[in-house]
Amino acid sequence: MKRDPDIGITEALARDRTSRISALRYDLAFTVPSERTKPLSGREAIRFAIAATTEPLILDYAPDRAGFLRRVEANGVEVAVRQVNGHIIVPGSVLRDGENTLSIDFNAGDASLNRGDDFLYTIFVPARAHLAFPCFDQPDLKARWSLFLDVPDGWLALANGAELEHDSRDGRTRVRFAGTEPIATYLFAFAAGKFSVERAERDGRTFRMFHRETDAAKVARNRDAIFDLHAGALKWLEAYTGIRYPFGKFDFFAVPAFQFGGMEHPGAIFYNAPGLLLDESATQEQLLGRASVIAHETSHMWFGDLVTMRWFDDVWMKEVFANYMAAKIVNPAFPSVNHELRFLTDYYPSAYAVDRTAGTNEIRQPLANLNDAGTLYGAIIYQKAPIVMRQLETLMGSDAFRDGLRQYLARYAFGNATWPDLIRMLDDRTPEDLAAFSRVWVEERGRPIIGTELKLSQGRIERLVLTQRDPYENRGLVWNQRIQVAVGGRDVRLVPVQLNAPRVDVRAARGLPAQFVLANGGGLAYGEVHLDPTSSKWLLSNLPSVGDELTRASAWVTLWDAVLTHDVKPDAFVTLAARALPVERNELTVARVLSYVRDAYWRYSAPDVRARLAPAIEPVLRTGLASARTSTLKSVWFSALRDMAQTPATLEWLTRVWRQQEAVPGLTLSETDYIRLAEELAVRDAGGASAILDQQYARTKNPDRKAQFAFVRPALSANEADRDAWFAALADVANRRHEPWVLEGLRYLHHPLRAGSSVKYIEPSLLLLREIQRTGDIFFPKRWMDATLGGHQSAAAAAIVRTFVDRLPPDYPLPLRRVILSAADDLFRAAGAAQP
Ligand SMILES: [Zn+2]
């Protein structure tokens, strides 16, 4: 007798099933009760072919309650099955050679159904379908799916397939959906509830947007742009890939407070509504972000949905192509934006925020069990991997790169592939050694430490050497990269360099006039870039005068690294920023610098230093707000002011703005903006904070935003006992179902102004992390830790984390240990603690 399967889906189980099962299809029916507390009931028929066997067949099914499996039939005959560790074991003796049908009656577990009072939506990524219904929950057993939903009257529904029938009677609505193309379990999806629908035609295709927004003006203001962006992305992708959109109809659902930016279900993309339906106060970053998330999810229709990774160790592949294609797709729609600069500000700071830490990981990580797949997601695959992909495309040339991708998509269409499958196809098209490139950039973690050795003679370069070294011992890696070194002063020249050795003599720079040299001045070099003393001194005095905006932005990214390595003092950085910001015209750079200033202010300045800085920095922000020429830029300044305000004068002004006694000229605030403002005033214990929160609740019209506000409110209370009770309630998974709500509350609970009273929540939050990973969605563990540690800078807080990590048992999962270390990195640095 073979031993029983482990909890979760192991790679061994997956490989065994892939070798045995074919021609898989699911016919699923769910009845959704009107009472949220009652479970959905379901029936399904699973059809597949299998060779004659005596081995048992293992299905995955792990609802959150016992007794949910009601009846199993194999080929029309009821069978007795065992349920073990979240699986159903079907005896081999009831299966026959060839086609088989398993018919199952069950109740659906709630954990992946995201149920509210009047709507629900599924999220089955990475392997959470089997929390709801029995299936083979792995990415390479693709199936055709048909779906029937029986929902309360007045509800609408969407799913991967087109709606075939819609029938309302006896207080119920029944919807039947067409069968799908072959798709993986993590991409199967449906949503049902009280929705509004917008429709549009573009290029002969019908697009539908389901949503719950009650602000009709907001919907009207955004709808055309949303449909245009989808149509534009589809057109671009069809041309680039040479493959027509593979999934027939195209619907999407703007989910209020969605856990992710978007989720790429074929035919039924889910988005975070605030990311699509923008406020009038949207910034340029938010406008670009919307275009990017639409292009990202649309790219997934090819990269991930049509061709899927065989196993989740390659989940980064679908994410990197989605992000990398999105960057290409978005550019033409924003001709006034400097896209090289945007690539820099969008990807490098976020990638560095993890890659500089002791908790960083490889892009491609091993994965033994899909239960742990959620821990693979993060900035390394979303932000570092596109940087690596750009290097790869640069190395091999864009035509060869595109042709390789076309070949890959065509060969594996509706199937699965691995990174080695793709890299072999690309390698055939270039003399470069892509396997060696992949080993350093993809299979290993960390970033090189890049240095500059500069010798000047009478203002000209006599000798320039770039160095790189591996931050970790015993590896000696060299990160082969094509970069552009900025050389100059106010005027900058970009010198191309192939940085493919520990030391590279940049002969092309000899004789050039230079007041500074910046290795990543062209926005390409990836690493911990150290300035030579001459360049550092010059940039700290003269950065605002550098004419090239990309080099300026790169210099800011480099100087922030220097703050974190203690080469530049935080207050020197803030002082330089206060001088530079009033003359900086690029909105993306202003936003990036202000984001660093927030960190320098809240995280790296002690409370007494902050009190000294506030009267100096707030007028800069007020002036920036007043003099900004566009509403997008005004919004950037306003949010910085709102987040950093401390002086009584500014708080009084913000309170008048919140009371609508005073307008911000040129900026229209939305309901979301007023909620945020009320929360920021409350956490500062501004005058009448409690009354402000009461009034904000009464003022809020949209029911979803109102529910979220009510949930978060106790975390803002001036009464510590209320905050304790709010935090204690998070121990119950039922109170963690709305992850964005939880994170918003945690950020205020741990606000720097409340850090003294919130240190006590750190250890219990660390202790909960394993359960958070087990019960939450993919991004939740890291965000949980970020929200918990983000407001802290004290040695006491750092010591709690350090002690916790030091005492972890040897079998504690490495990915979670890394989550803690990367989330704690800023805290450790701010507290002056040594790196682990
Ligand atoms: Zn994605």
Side-chain angles (χ1 to χ4, degrees), residues 264 296-297 300 318-319 322 382:
E264 66 265 24
H296 177 108
E297 304 310 336
H300 271 316
K318 74 182 180 72
E319 298 310 328
Y382 283 96

